[in-house]
Amino acid sequence: MARILVALSGGVDSAAAAALLTEQGHEVVAAYMKNWVNDENIPGECPWERDIEDALAVCRKLGIEFRVVDLIEQYRARVVEYLIEGYRSGSTPNPDVLCNREMKFGVLLDYALQQGFTGGVATGHYARRLDVEGDGSYVLRGADSNKDQSYFLALMRPEQVAHAVFPVGELTKPRVREIARRFGLPVADKKDSQGICFIGKVKMSDFLRHYLPDNPGDIVDTDGRVLGRHNGLHLFTMGQRHGHGVASPREGVAYVVVGKDLQNNRLIVGYEGRETPGLYARSAVVGGIANLRRPLPERVYAQPRYRAPAVPAACTHLSADTVRLEFDEPVRALALGQVCAFYAPERQLLGGGFFTEIGH
């Protein structure tokens, strides 16, 4: 049996993970990562106090030690600054993916190893770890295809995966709630959290407005005709169908965001459809790759964002950490800075990186 630190968020998934590890006979200690306190009056709910209360109640029920680990300074430096600078530069960052590499399996894992938790860090992720003798540890998609969260682990390093534990990865969400009820956990029916990783129910637009001032400019169509005004390019994402304020020209036809002209501060919109310039990509360059298996094979399944399907692509290495992808079929709404996860056909996560070029 191992000594394991469970990252307890106050939700049902990590609570069930702690319960299962305790039942298996491991020495379990739970830690709440205190990453964010909304003391800057950003609109929205930051429920960290309630989450701590819920996590503490779970630990009391299980009879395990509970700790609050203050990581606010590290979170701001490693995740919040990445988020703000990404949007400032016109890219589309993913704080949840970076949070896993830099915080849960970065700072918190370092803390766990220093504290003697040789079994590593456990989380409530719907993902699985595969240990191959003589070839290291790898991540597999979660057994529940509707809840699979392996995409969010795409930037992890091999040494981090070796110390990661995913107790609910073989389970479905309904089964996890059943387990939580069996243990009498007070969060068994708690709703899943929404919003930015560890920040809470804060709209991204409100969060960004606190750090990035509005920068109004024109909204144009693909022919350059002015259709309206925007308050800042950072407030929009590729493929966005609503919220840009441009009315449909006729029934059944809607404008979607197909590009950003950073030099002229113009938001470009076009009609939905593969023929619309900028909306669909045939190729892409992915850099900053974290490989769980080196090198990446010549054929991969590339997943450009959470909930998007992984699509087959030819993969050519341009350097040690950069590849070019040629998609078998055009892919909708890719954005610079988005995280791309790579998979093998057998559901194994091969790594991930950031889109640095989009080819149309």
Side-chain angles (χ1 to χ4, degrees):
M1 296 297 107
R3 190 165 187 254
I4 300 173
L5 185 69
V6 178
L8 201 61
S9 66
V12 64
D13 298 327
S14 58
L20 289 170
L21 291 174
T22 301
E23 185 177 56
Q24 292 165 11
H26 297 290
E27 181 183 347
V28 177
V29 173
Y32 178 87
M33 297 168 57
K34 188 176 179 182
N35 290 345
W36 182 261
V37 177
N38 190 5
D39 56 2
E40 301 180 39
N41 297 317
I42 301 174
E45 180 186 359
C46 180
W48 65 272
E49 292 175 308
R50 181 195 167 183
D51 287 341
I52 288 180
E53 291 175 0
D54 289 344
L56 177 58
V58 167
C59 291
R60 286 172 173 165
K61 186 67 177 179
L62 296 176
I64 62 176
E65 180 185 345
F66 177 62
R67 304 179 184 182
V68 176
V69 183
D70 189 335
L71 302 177
I72 293 176
E73 182 177 341
Q74 296 95 322
Y75 184 78
R76 179 175 292 276
R78 298 190 182 204
V79 179
V80 175
E81 288 302 319
Y82 151 80
L83 178 65
I84 295 170
E85 290 307 312
Y87 278 105
R88 193 195 308 275
S89 66
S91 66
T92 303
N94 189 314
D96 299 285
V97 177
L98 203 70
C99 183
N100 284 317
R101 184 180 75 183
E102 298 297 322
M103 301 304 298
K104 287 181 183 175
F105 299 107
V107 178
L108 186 66
L109 176 58
D110 291 342
Y111 167 86
L113 295 176
Q114 291 168 4
Q115 293 287 313
F117 292 94
T118 55
V121 169
T123 68
H125 281 104
Y126 287 84
R128 296 173 289 174
R129 193 182 86 186
L130 172 67
D131 297 323
V132 180
E133 186 175 355
D135 196 28
S137 300
Y138 301 96
V139 174
L140 300 179
R141 288 190 183 276
D144 186 342
S145 59
N146 291 323
K147 291 295 294 181
D148 169 49
Q149 294 173 314
S150 59
Y151 171 84
F152 295 112
L153 308 174
L155 298 183
M156 287 178 65
R157 304 180 182 95
E159 62 271 19
Q160 294 175 317
V161 176
H163 292 98
V165 183
F166 306 119
V168 304
E170 296 284 352
L171 306 173
T172 63
K173 183 73 176 195
R175 179 61 180 147
V176 166
R177 290 200 182 276
E178 289 177 6
I179 290 171
R181 294 187 191 103
R182 175 165 66 84
F183 280 92
L185 303 183
V187 296
D189 297 304
K190 185 177 179 179
K191 291 183 178 180
D192 291 343
S193 61
Q194 302 291 329
I196 309 169
C197 177
F198 280 100
I199 290 181
K201 299 176 182 179
V202 179
K203 289 183 179 180
M204 182 64 77
S205 58
D206 290 333
F207 183 84
L208 292 175
R209 277 198 170 100
H210 187 78
Y211 296 99
L212 300 176
D214 284 356
N215 184 23
D218 288 332
I219 301 176
V220 301
D221 65 13
T222 53
D223 294 322
R225 291 174 295 192
V226 177
L227 302 176
R229 297 281 288 175
H230 66 79
N231 289 323
L233 296 180
H234 57 279
L235 301 174
F236 301 89
T237 58
M238 287 291 294
Q240 182 175 329
R241 294 186 175 95
H242 307 287
H244 47 62
V246 179
S248 301
R250 59 185 182 275
E251 186 176 353
V253 177
Y255 281 114
V256 298
V257 175
V258 300
K260 298 179 182 182
D261 180 355
L262 299 178
Q263 183 175 355
N264 297 300
N265 192 29
R266 299 190 306 177
L267 183 72
I268 305 171
V269 297
Y271 301 141
E272 182 69 67
R274 289 198 177 188
E275 70 282 357
T276 300
L279 185 56
Y280 280 79
R282 296 185 176 276
S283 64
V285 175
V286 181
I289 292 176
N291 291 54
L292 299 183
R293 181 183 294 274
R294 293 183 182 273
L296 289 172
E298 294 181 356
R299 296 283 298 172
V300 297
Y301 282 82
Q303 184 172 338
R305 52 190 168 271
Y306 186 52
R307 295 298 187 191
V311 295
C315 179
T316 304
H317 283 265
L318 302 180
S319 69
D321 67 348
T322 305
V323 299
R324 177 180 295 279
L325 299 177
E326 299 286 343
F327 303 111
D328 288 10
E329 296 290 336
V331 181
R332 185 184 182 279
L334 298 187
L336 296 177
Q338 276 183 332
V339 172
C340 180
F342 303 112
Y343 291 89
E346 59 272 19
R347 296 168 60 86
Q348 180 181 330
L349 179 66
L350 302 176
F354 305 92
F355 286 116
T356 60
E357 294 181 26
I358 309 295
H360 301 284

